[in-house]
Amino acid sequence: MGFNDEINRRRTFAIISHPDAGKTTLTEKLLLFGGAIHVAGAVKSNKIKKTATSDFMEIEKQRGISVATSVMGFEYNGCKVNILDTPGHQDFAEDTFRTLTAVDSVIIVVDSAKGVEAQTRKLMEVCRMRHTPVIVFINKLDRPSKDPFELLDEVEEELKIKVRPLSWPINNGPNFKGVYNLFDESLYLFEPSKQSLEEGIAIKNVNDPKVDKLIGESFASDLRGELELVEGVYPEFDKQTYLDATVAPVFFGSALNNFGVRELLNCFLHIAPSPLPSQADERIINPYEEKFSGFVFKIHANMDPNHRNRLAFVKVCSGKFERNTNYLHVRHGKNMKFSSPTAFMADKKSIIDEAYPGDIVGIPDSGNFKIGDTLTEGEKFHFKGLPSFSPELFRYIENDDPMKSKQLAKGIDQLMDEGVAQLFVSQLNGRKVIGTVGALQFEVIQYRLLHEYGAKCRYEPINLYKACWLESSDAKQLDDFKQRKLQYMAKDKFGRDVFMADSSYMLQMAQDNFSKIKFHFTSEF
Ligand code: G4P
């Protein structure tokens, strides 16, 4: 197969959802279809279990195990499908944000009873920022659900994207009869308890009396009425609007019952983009370029504390990646070659000789990589990563064992490279502040520093509201501000100035008094 064909047949995407909406179940069913696993439960057993929320060690252990399912590749209908897993625990939302930098499209799972939930909204913001095409799968129709029109309105409003249903549910809960697939014009009947993998019944016209026979006159008449409304309200499906990320096609189904999943997969493979161009600071890199380039979007620590090895996940952006070939690590300015790059096929990890754009390569690393690092065949460009977002929680981190200050500094440095949390260093006194999305991460950091680096730390409270990155066209006012607010100024890990506001009131005052300064909650604006 030619190089271009290899690229064209790749689909690299992530499934995202609020915890419990059914992401794991859907992933598993997709893998079953792909023949990548043969029994249900294989993915589930690697999932971060929600019951363990208070037991962070358990969660860390499970995160370690989940390295095997971080990327799940499989072959289906001539396509090479790469599903990038995202952590199920909301405290690790940042890991998910970063994974979204490595995908070409996204499937969002929404619980049909709960509708759009908080974490989905947040993740969608990242998709919007990157213009990632999304498909929505509304799950759990076998349970009493919200009205489908209401759900679609909610998706439009909450996720700020236009929708176009490509399938339509026939009732829900105990009366769930099935879905009418508008994409391939077929009726699929739902039979509870039957985990069917069957084809639908092709019905080109819903007015066909066959429909009445199959689902009963009353449901058939409801369906006709609703489909008429659908066609009246929503514009015809146009693949380009999906690829432009302005319209999200919507499917209804029940992942647990394997219902609506095959249709989703078939349509997805048909319309989802193959690897897209990637933006570097210097230029846009086209996947079809001959020379290899890629970037690190995730670093996974080895869970064996005796071997501080890590696995860097590299997304191939252009050209062909080859084993034992010299590549330039742009930030270090040095050449490196990799003797045991791994690929991920379902639950197996194996050493590979080559990889194509869209693929994810795992590279064993002893500390050379940071998230966002670029590898090329020699050209010096830097892939644009994701901006930093202001953390929600902050604490001072202090050394608790004077003999181990070096270990602590190294540990903090490496954990920040992995993107476990953000570090801010006070410009007034050099004290270090750790910022996280969830409280659990503080415990994880403390535990890992001790077990992997032999360093003991303690936290001290600090009352902070937000970290704000600054922008101003008035250099003098900015300087003046920085001097006056020195005790609230810090540097982030890239050396950028950050204003650590301790309350929304203080931030408002700063904004009022320094009108030529803009305060941003993200590092890029
Ligand atoms: P997540 O990864 O998004 O967190 O969700 P997950 O797939 O684990 O699903 C959360 C719960 O919802 C699971 O039940 C799962 O079985 C159930 N579920 C998923 N899809 C459907 C569906 O289509 N219909 C119904 N009725 N339930 C569904 P659980 O009891 O929390 O876990 P488990 O004991 O089944 O493992």
Side-chain angles (χ1 to χ4, degrees):
M1 193 179 298
F3 174 61
N4 287 4
D5 296 331
E6 283 289 0
I7 301 176
N8 293 338
R9 74 187 197 93
R10 275 164 168 75
R11 303 282 182 276
T12 303
F13 71 105
I15 303 179
I16 57 176
S17 74
H18 191 85
D20 257 6
K23 176 176 70 77
T24 314
T25 313
L26 179 64
T27 307
E28 192 164 274
K29 301 297 154 140
L30 294 177
L31 294 179
L32 277 172
F33 279 119
I37 54 168
H38 300 287
V39 282
V43 178
K44 199 125 210 155
S45 61
N46 279 343
K47 187 182 147 166
I48 294 176
K49 294 191 186 70
K50 41 205 171 269
T51 46
T53 41
S54 57
D55 187 349
F56 66 90
M57 277 187 283
E58 187 54 28
I59 289 180
E60 268 306 286
K61 234 192 280 161
Q62 291 183 30
R63 285 182 90 207
I65 298 165
S66 74
V67 72
T69 56
S70 287
V71 183
M72 288 159 284
F74 64 89
E75 298 275 340
Y76 185 79
N77 275 359
C79 286
K80 165 86 190 293
V81 182
N82 293 316
I83 307 180
L84 272 54
D85 193 23
T86 52
H89 198 284
Q90 55 196 27
D91 270 15
F92 297 105
E94 278 198 54
D95 286 3
T96 305
F97 293 160
R98 280 188 294 264
T99 297
L100 294 180
T101 62
V103 300
D104 297 303
S105 67
V106 155
I107 294 179
I108 297 177
V109 184
V110 172
D111 184 320
S112 63
K114 294 187 181 146
V116 176
E117 295 169 89
Q119 197 159 332
T120 315
R121 264 194 300 271
K122 250 179 154 172
L123 293 167
M124 183 65 196
E125 275 171 36
V126 178
C127 295
R128 207 173 313 114
M129 209 155 137
R130 304 180 53 81
H131 308 290
T132 309
V134 302
I135 292 183
V136 177
F137 182 73
I138 299 188
N139 189 29
K140 304 196 188 181
L141 264 293
D142 60 313
R143 293 229 185 120
S145 314
K146 292 188 181 178
D147 172 74
F149 285 108
E150 198 186 307
L151 280 164
L152 293 176
D153 284 352
E154 195 175 321
V155 169
E156 285 202 327
E157 219 162 90
E158 301 274 337
L159 300 184
K160 301 191 180 72
I161 186 161
K162 294 245 163 293
V163 297
R164 162 72 219 197
L166 285 186
S167 79
W168 195 257
I170 306 165
N171 224 299
N172 61 65
N175 289 325
F176 183 47
K177 294 286 170 208
V179 294
Y180 185 74
N181 187 329
L182 296 144
F183 187 66
D184 66 6
E185 297 177 322
S186 313
L187 184 68
Y188 293 83
L189 296 181
F190 177 70
E191 290 174 51
S193 80
K194 187 172 167 195
Q195 301 227 345
S196 98
L197 296 176
E198 281 166 22
E199 299 296 321
I201 303 162
I203 292 181
K204 290 285 161 206
N205 183 344
V206 276
N207 292 321
D208 191 326
K210 256 200 283 181
V211 178
D212 300 78
K213 272 209 195 107
L214 289 166
I215 60 173
E217 274 176 33
S218 154
F219 286 130
S221 128
D222 287 352
L223 174 67
R224 289 181 187 119
E226 286 174 1
L227 286 180
E228 209 171 300
L229 207 55
V230 167
E231 297 306 336
V233 172
Y234 301 99
E236 210 169 301
F237 176 63
D238 172 3
K239 182 174 155 185
Q240 197 52 45
T241 57
Y242 156 69
L243 293 174
D244 295 342
T246 54
V247 173
V250 180
F251 286 84
F252 292 84
S254 166
L256 187 65
N257 291 288
N258 223 341
F259 192 78
V261 177
R262 185 197 291 271
E263 298 78 74
L264 171 73
L265 181 61
N266 284 343
C267 174
F268 169 79
L269 294 180
H270 195 72
I271 65 172
S274 53
L276 298 168
S278 314
Q279 180 72 54
D281 286 338
E282 296 78 359
R283 68 182 182 88
I284 289 174
I285 285 77
N286 193 306
Y288 301 93
E289 288 181 23
E290 223 174 273
K291 293 197 169 151
F292 161 76
S293 68
F295 70 94
V296 177
F297 68 94
K298 166 176 174 146
I299 292 177
H300 212 296
N302 192 326
M303 294 320 287
D304 178 355
N306 298 321
H307 299 89
R308 217 181 288 146
N309 278 349
R310 314 189 290 181
L311 197 62
F313 289 75
V314 175
K315 158 98 185 273
V316 180
C317 295
S318 68
K320 188 157 87 171
F321 171 90
E322 288 176 294
R323 188 159 82 98
N324 279 328
T325 304
N326 265 318
Y327 292 123
L328 176 67
H329 184 311
V330 177
R331 182 171 55 89
H332 284 331
K334 68 177 185 197
N335 281 324
M336 298 177 77
K337 59 178 160 187
F338 310 105
S339 59
S340 41
T342 51
F344 307 84
M345 287 304 274
D347 48 357
K348 285 192 291 293
K349 218 171 82 183
S350 54
I351 292 190
I352 44 138
D353 289 318
E354 54 183 43
Y356 292 90
D359 286 340
I360 309 298
V361 180
I363 296 180
D365 170 45
S366 52
N368 281 311
F369 288 115
K370 264 191 202 192
I371 283 173
D373 276 346
T374 301
L375 288 172
T376 70
E377 276 191 35
E379 192 179 335
K380 291 189 182 124
F381 58 76
H382 305 78
F383 281 111
K384 253 190 169 32
L386 200 63
S388 307
F389 297 88
S390 173
E392 306 287 332
L393 304 168
F394 302 86
R395 287 184 201 169
Y396 281 122
I397 184 165
E398 298 291 349
N399 187 6
D400 217 18
D401 179 352
M403 307 298 286
K404 298 281 173 65
S405 58
K406 251 194 184 156
Q407 283 87 334
L408 182 72
K410 181 167 183 191
I412 293 178
D413 209 35
Q414 292 210 345
L415 293 186
M416 298 307 128
D417 287 355
E418 260 179 49
V420 176
Q422 290 184 59
L423 180 71
F424 303 93
V425 180
S426 162
Q427 296 188 15
L428 181 71
N429 54 22
R431 284 185 84 180
K432 289 177 175 166
V433 173
I434 300 271
T436 69
V437 175
L440 194 68
Q441 277 146 304
F442 289 111
E443 294 174 63
V444 169
I445 290 167
Q446 200 167 33
Y447 175 85
R448 289 191 55 193
L449 285 172
L450 187 62
H451 288 83
E452 292 172 37
Y453 299 88
K456 241 178 157 170
C457 76
R458 67 169 194 282
Y459 295 111
E460 282 179 17
I462 176 170
N463 183 27
L464 288 178
Y465 164 64
K466 284 269 159 64
C468 307
W469 284 266
L470 306 177
E471 181 190 17
S472 178
S473 51
D474 185 336
K476 196 174 161 302
Q477 190 175 81
L478 189 61
D479 269 353
D480 185 29
F481 176 80
K482 286 198 281 194
Q483 262 174 22
R484 295 228 329 241
K485 300 282 179 192
L486 187 62
Q487 70 188 104
Y488 297 103
M489 291 303 299
K491 294 267 185 205
D492 73 3
K493 71 172 180 225
F494 299 102
R496 294 175 294 214
D497 286 323
V498 181
F499 172 57
M500 313 289 272
D502 65 9
S503 65
S504 60
Y505 173 73
M506 178 202 198
L507 182 59
Q508 190 56 51
M509 292 288 287
Q511 262 161 349
D512 293 348
N513 294 339
F514 295 85
S515 57
K516 290 188 180 143
I517 299 178
K518 285 193 182 140
F519 299 81
H520 300 281
F521 293 155
T522 60
S523 64
E524 271 169 34
F525 18 87

